[in-house]
Amino acid sequence: MMTILKFEPLGLSLEGIGPFQEKPVRFDFTDPNNDPCNFYLLISENGKGKTTVLEIMTVLMDMLNNKEPEIFGHKDLDRLEGGRAQLDILFKVLKNGLKETVILSLIAGPSEGYILNTWTEKGIEGIGAMSWHPFGYRRNSTGRLERIGRKDDLVNDLVSLIHQEIIYGKKSTGFEESILTLPIVIYFSAYRDILPLKNSSRSITEPDAWQYKPVYRFTSEGDVWTRSLDNLLVWLSWLDDGRFEKAVEIINSRVFKRSQKFISKIRKSPPEAVIKNGDQEHTIDRLSSGEKSLIQLFLRIGTHMTQNTILLIDEMDVHLHLKWQHRLLNILKDMAKDNPGLTIISTTHSREVLTGFSFETEENGLRKGGHIIDANL
């Protein structure tokens, strides 16, 4: 039996991917004490590779979801002479009553030279680990993917545990309060919106993104009922286990604080969430773009996060007024402080976010870090 105690990114190495073509690039997710950061900012202008970093992290994590993948799922990795990537993670487990801290490297690359960052005995000890465990896939000369670390018992136990949970479904005690210790990446694209629902059949239906899997990717919420936030809220309400009330409380306090607006109820016909705004009522898709972006963030995070969550937010400032940028930044800081297993990695080109992040200022419960991709910013 394995219980995961820590699953925290240490660094990401890339070569031959997106803008990072000429030489290997390393993104170090640790602070000056070699501890993994729990809040990390990637900074650059558009087109410099911020989104590529987040996308590659999701691709590497998704390898834990597929026992025998045929492709990596990224064009630069899927070329026959494609690029290579390595995500290093501090992985602490309780197994058979014993605690073990190791470095797990998720690797994707060509047949030769697929390892970008070799961990020496000194480096392993310096990070507080006991051993190094590479896992992933390399593309052979015929184009097929071959697994790395196939005989590694620790990796095999992790993969088996993840597949077992996928088969039997997610366990949860409440909104933002999961008992599940399995690792998860929740990735939000910069293109966040809530689209109006098309005229289609609506019923109490389990949402498409409900059961556990290692990676969730969210962009604009679908206009199809089973992929809508309305369906998610209706489903939470139908479960009648307190999660709906907790979700509404969180949305109303975080998104609509000091506002006349709030989620008031679930309408029965048609089933949908109702926003109260003074004397008026309307649906979620009638909110401003900034409000919709925040509702999507907090509903999806609260629904899917586990005790070991890596949260990736591309352009956290998108659609947000200056005051909303600061509010979101402060809420995310509080979440990182309150949830020891939560790691937040976000991108921005907002000077206001940079000022509010305050790299040079220590904050209790936060281990902050960052990387400026474009030195001319």
Side-chain angles (χ1 to χ4, degrees), residues 181-243:
T181 65
L182 285 176
I184 190 171
V185 162
I186 306 175
Y187 169 54
F188 290 96
S189 160
Y191 303 100
R192 302 189 289 275
D193 194 7
I194 301 174
L195 305 174
L197 277 165
K198 291 180 178 177
N199 293 326
S200 60
S201 175
R202 301 187 189 186
S203 60
I204 298 173
T205 309
E206 181 178 299
D208 287 350
W210 179 252
Q211 305 295 342
Y212 168 81
K213 56 183 181 180
V215 171
Y216 283 99
R217 298 178 177 91
F218 294 111
T219 179
S220 292
E221 293 290 347
D223 52 5
V224 176
W225 172 245
T226 55
R227 296 195 296 268
S228 69
L229 289 183
D230 276 298
N231 178 51
L232 174 59
L233 286 166
V234 169
W235 178 255
L236 291 173
S237 177
W238 177 80
L239 290 175
D240 195 25
D241 59 2
R243 272 182 280 191

Side-chain angles (χ1 to χ4, degrees), residues 68-300:
E68 298 295 337
E70 296 182 358
I71 60 172
F72 290 115
H74 190 279
K75 62 180 181 180
D76 287 330
L77 289 173
D78 286 325
R79 291 183 287 110
L80 187 58
E81 298 298 328
R84 50 186 181 150
Q86 178 174 333
L87 176 61
D88 298 314
I89 296 164
L90 187 64
F91 181 40
K92 185 175 183 179
V93 297
L94 177 64
K95 185 178 177 183
N96 299 324
L98 299 176
K99 292 181 180 179
E100 188 174 0
T101 301
V102 305
I103 296 171
L104 172 68
S105 292
L106 303 179
I107 296 170
S111 58
E112 301 294 334
Y114 50 84
I115 292 178
L116 273 163
N117 186 43
T118 300
W119 285 86
T120 64
E121 184 176 342
K122 182 178 179 181
I124 294 169
E125 292 177 355
I127 212 72
M130 303 160 59
S131 55
W132 175 38
H133 299 258
F135 163 77
Y137 294 87
R138 61 179 183 177
R139 185 174 296 283
N140 65 23
S141 58
T142 67
R144 294 183 62 85
L145 298 187
E146 296 178 346
R147 181 172 159 180
I148 303 162
R150 188 176 293 275
K151 296 182 179 181
D152 190 313
D153 290 339
L154 187 68
V155 170
N156 289 334
D157 287 346
L158 173 62
V159 172
S160 296
L161 192 62
I162 286 174
H163 280 267
Q164 180 180 354
E165 186 58 39
I166 291 172
I167 292 171
Y168 291 106
K170 182 178 179 180
K171 309 180 189 74
S172 181
T173 54
F175 195 81
E176 283 194 3
E177 296 174 351
S178 176
I179 63 173
L180 197 64
T181 65
L182 285 176
I184 190 171
V185 162
I186 306 175
Y187 169 54
F188 290 96
S189 160
Y191 303 100
R192 302 189 289 275
D193 194 7
I194 301 174
L195 305 174
L197 277 165
K198 291 180 178 177
N199 293 326
S200 60
S201 175
R202 301 187 189 186
S203 60
I204 298 173
T205 309
E206 181 178 299
D208 287 350
W210 179 252
Q211 305 295 342
Y212 168 81
K213 56 183 181 180
V215 171
Y216 283 99
R217 298 178 177 91
F218 294 111
T219 179
S220 292
E221 293 290 347
D223 52 5
V224 176
W225 172 245
T226 55
R227 296 195 296 268
S228 69
L229 289 183
D230 276 298
N231 178 51
L232 174 59
L233 286 166
V234 169
W235 178 255
L236 291 173
S237 177
W238 177 80
L239 290 175
D240 195 25
D241 59 2
R243 272 182 280 191
F244 173 74
E245 290 75 15
K246 182 72 179 293
V248 168
E249 175 192 351
I250 286 173
I251 296 303
N252 288 341
S253 63
R254 291 178 182 172
V255 180
F256 299 126
K257 187 177 182 180
R258 293 189 293 271
S259 168
Q260 287 186 312
K261 297 178 184 178
F262 60 95
I263 297 179
S264 65
K265 61 183 180 181
I266 294 294
R267 182 180 285 135
K268 291 186 177 180
S269 183
E272 61 189 1
V274 175
I275 304 293
K276 186 85 171 176
N277 184 8
D279 295 330
Q280 298 181 341
E281 292 183 345
H282 58 79
T283 52
I284 292 177
D285 61 275
R286 297 288 300 279
L287 293 168
S288 71
S289 57
E291 290 169 327
K292 288 190 287 187
S293 173
L294 292 173
I295 284 181
Q296 182 199 29
L297 281 173
F298 296 128
L299 273 178
R300 291 303 186 187

Side-chain angles (χ1 to χ4, degrees), residues 24-36:
V25 177
R26 176 76 174 174
F27 297 89
D28 186 354
F29 299 141
T30 62
D31 69 7
N33 297 318
N34 268 350
D35 293 322

Side-chain angles (χ1 to χ4, degrees), residues 49-61:
K50 301 190 305 296
T51 300
T52 298
V53 170
L54 303 190
E55 288 178 344
I56 292 296
M57 290 182 71
T58 65
V59 167
L60 295 175
M61 271 294 293

